[in-house]
Amino acid sequence: MAATAVAAASRTLFLCRSKLVYPSKSFIHRPKRFFIFSRSSSSSQATLPSLSVSPANVIEVLQERGLLDAITSENLRSVASTSNLKVYCGFDPTAESLHLGNLLGIIVLSWFQRFGHRAVAVIGGATGRVGDPSGKSLERPELDTQTVEKNCSQISDLISKILGRRSSNSHLDSRKDANLMDELGENGDSSEKDAILKTKQDDSFVILNNYDWWKDITLLDFLREVGRFARVGAMMAKESVKKRLMSEEGMSYTEFTYQLLQGYDFLYLFKNMGVNVQIGGSDQWGNITAGTELIRKILQIEGAYGLTFPLLLKSDGTKFGKSEGGAIWLSPAMLSPYKFYQYFFTVPDVDVVRFLKILTFLSMEEIKELQEGMGKSGYVPNSVQRRLAEEVTLFVHGEEGLAEALKATEALRPGAETKLDAATIEGIAEDVPSCSLAYDQVLNSGLVDLSVSTGLLSSKSAARRLVKQGGLYLNNQRVDSEDKTIEDEDIVDGKVLLLSAGKKNKMVVRISS
Ligand SMILES: Nc1ncnc2c1ncn2[C@@H]1O[C@H](COP(=O)(O)OP(=O)(O)OP(=O)(O)O)[C@@H](O)[C@H]1O
Ligand SMILES: N[C@@H](Cc1ccc(O)cc1)C(=O)O
C-alpha cells in the first residue's frame, strides 16, 4: 500500500517538474506550546506525548541530546523557531531493511515532526543504483533492478509505519489541514493538490522515491542543467572523494557523480516541494552541501540548510552498520521484536544513558532521574536498560511489537508463571536453537536423554548435575527428578516443547508430523 502511495506521490511531483514552486511564506507559523516528549508514566503509551514544554527550538533539543554534528548555517536555529520547515532525509535501498544506524535519520525526522515541521523521507531508487561512496573504502556492489525495487518498497513500508505511528498519536493533528495547500504554493493546480492530499500518509510526513524524477532526465539535460554549475575542484575536495582517491582502487566516475545526484535531489525537492532542510549522518556532509551549493548557484536563492548528526557508535568505537555482521535490523522479518528488545535490554551500563538521549524521546529530566537511580542502593540491575528497550521497541515496532517482545521475554524467563502456548514458543524459535523430532521419539523419553539427544547439553552426567542444582527446565517449569519422562501434556498444544538449561541455554523441540 505504501509503495503505491510512494509511486503516486512521485507521479504527482512529476507534474510539478516544469514549474518553479518556491517555499511559500504563508506557511510560516509557529504554535505556542507543544507536547513533545514521551510519556513518563506508562511505557506502553510512550508515543503519546505528555510533557508540556515552552517552545524549545528543535535544533537546541538535538544538540543537548547529542544528535547534532554540524549545520550549514547558524541561521537555521532562528529559522527553526520562526518557520515551519520541510526536512528531508534520504535512504538508499542497499538492503531489505534499515538498521540501527539508519534509525537516527528517522529519529531526527521525528523530532522535527514533534516540533510541527514536516518530514520527507526519500528512498534512493535512483541513487541506490549508483552507490554512495561516503564512508566507504570500496566501491559498492551493483544491485540489480529487481533487488532495488524490492528493497525500496520494504524500506518505504518500514519508514511509513514508524513515522505514521508517531503522527497518528500526535497532538499536532489539530493543525492537520491548515497549511497543507500552502506547500504547493499558489501555482499548484487543484488536481495536483488533491493527489498529494490522497497520497500523503498524513500531512506530517511523506515518502518519495528519487527514481521517479531521475528516470526521465537525460545525460545531456543533466550535464547542461546541473553539471555546468558543479566545480570539479570542489567535488574533488569532498571527504568521500579524497579518501577514495588515495586508495589503490581509486574511484569510478559513477561514484564520483553521486554527490551531484544527491545534490540535485535537494534542488528538485526545494524547487518543487519547498523542502528547505536536508539531514543525514556526519558522513553525508559533502553530499548535503553539494545540494545547498547547487541551490545557491542555480536558483540563486538562500534558504536551504543542511544538518548532520554524529554516527552512532558502539562503546568500542565501531559504527552500527550492516557490513560487519550482527546488524540491528529494524524490520521484524530480519530481527524479531523480541531480539531487538533484548539487544537494548542487555546494553552495557556505560552506553545506556547515551542511548536514552539519542534513541528515545524521553525528556532530559527523566533521563537524568533514571541515571541518578542507577547509582542508588537498591537499584535493580538493568532497570534503565528495560526502559530503553521498551521505548525503542515501541518506536520501531509499535504496541504490538513491544507486546510480542515482552511476552516472549517473560515466557522465556525460567520459572516464569506464564503458561506457554505454541505460538509464543514458535515466536522465539528463530532466536534460539531448535530441532524437530517425531512424536514417538519424544513421548515417554527421559528428559535427561532428550537434553543430550537434542544437543542442549553435552552429556547425561551434565544433565543430571543440572537437575540436582535446580537448573533444568521443561516449558519453564523446574524439573526436580532425574527420572522425569515426557508425557503427552508436556507437549504444548501437541506441537512443541521448550527445554532450558539455566537462564540462557534453550532448545525448542518441534514435533514433526
Ligand atoms: N551508525 C550510524 N549512525 C548514524 N548514521 C548512520 C550509521 N550508519 C549509517 N548511517 C547513516 O546511514 C547512511 C546509509 O548507511 P548505509 O546503510 O548505506 O551504510 P552503512 O550502514 O554505513 O553500511 P555499512 O555497515 O555497510 O558500512 C549513512 O551514510 C549514514 O549517514
Ligand atoms: N546518500 C544517502 C542516501 C540519500 C539518497 C538520496 C538523497 O537525496 C539523500 C540521501 C545514504 O547513503 O544514505
Side-chain angles (χ1 to χ4, degrees), residues 405-476:
L406 292 175
K407 193 173 166 196
T409 301
E410 169 59 15
L412 280 173
R413 189 171 58 81
E417 302 279 294
T418 333
K419 195 166 175 332
L420 284 173
D421 55 33
T424 305
I425 298 182
E426 277 300 339
I428 57 146
E430 68 179 75
D431 301 322
V432 301
S434 65
C435 64
S436 289
L437 290 175
Y439 185 76
D440 298 349
Q441 289 175 288
V442 175
L443 191 70
N444 299 326
S445 67
L447 182 66
V448 164
D449 296 333
L450 196 63
S451 304
V452 178
S453 63
T454 56
L456 176 74
L457 291 166
S458 55
S459 66
K460 289 187 189 178
S461 55
R464 287 197 194 97
R465 211 167 34 246
L466 204 60
V467 173
K468 279 204 191 97
Q469 292 162 352
L472 190 63
Y473 294 81
L474 171 62
N475 299 330
N476 282 347

Side-chain angles (χ1 to χ4, degrees), residues 88 90-92 122 127 132 210 258 262 265 278 284 287:
Y88 108 86
F91 303 88
D92 272 348
V122 171
T127 39
D132 187 354
N210 64 12
Y258 187 96
Q262 187 164 334
D265 280 350
Q278 183 181 177
Q284 294 295 306
N287 297 337

Side-chain angles (χ1 to χ4, degrees), residues 301-325:
I301 198 169
E302 299 293 329
Y305 302 94
L307 178 153
T308 55
F309 43 84
L311 296 182
L312 183 66
L313 303 178
K314 298 176 201 162
S315 43
D316 64 4
T318 58
K319 190 184 90 163
F320 281 98
K322 63 179 176 303
S323 300
E324 282 115 49

Side-chain angles (χ1 to χ4, degrees), residues 149-208:
E149 281 169 6
K150 194 171 115 234
N151 292 353
C152 279
S153 142
Q154 294 188 353
I155 290 174
S156 164
D157 279 354
L158 183 69
I159 297 175
S160 171
K161 277 198 189 116
I162 299 176
L163 290 181
R165 198 178 289 129
R166 151 69 216 168
S167 49
S168 65
N169 283 331
S170 172
H171 281 214
L172 307 177
D173 277 359
S174 55
R175 297 175 57 232
K176 212 162 184 163
D177 300 317
N179 298 320
L180 184 57
M181 291 314 199
D182 291 339
E183 293 169 25
L184 282 166
E186 276 123 42
N187 302 338
D189 76 29
S190 60
S191 60
E192 286 171 19
K193 287 176 179 177
D194 279 356
I196 284 210
L197 272 171
K198 279 193 203 112
T199 54
K200 273 170 177 261
Q201 287 80 351
D202 69 45
D203 74 331
S204 70
F205 77 101
V206 66
I207 301 179
L208 306 170

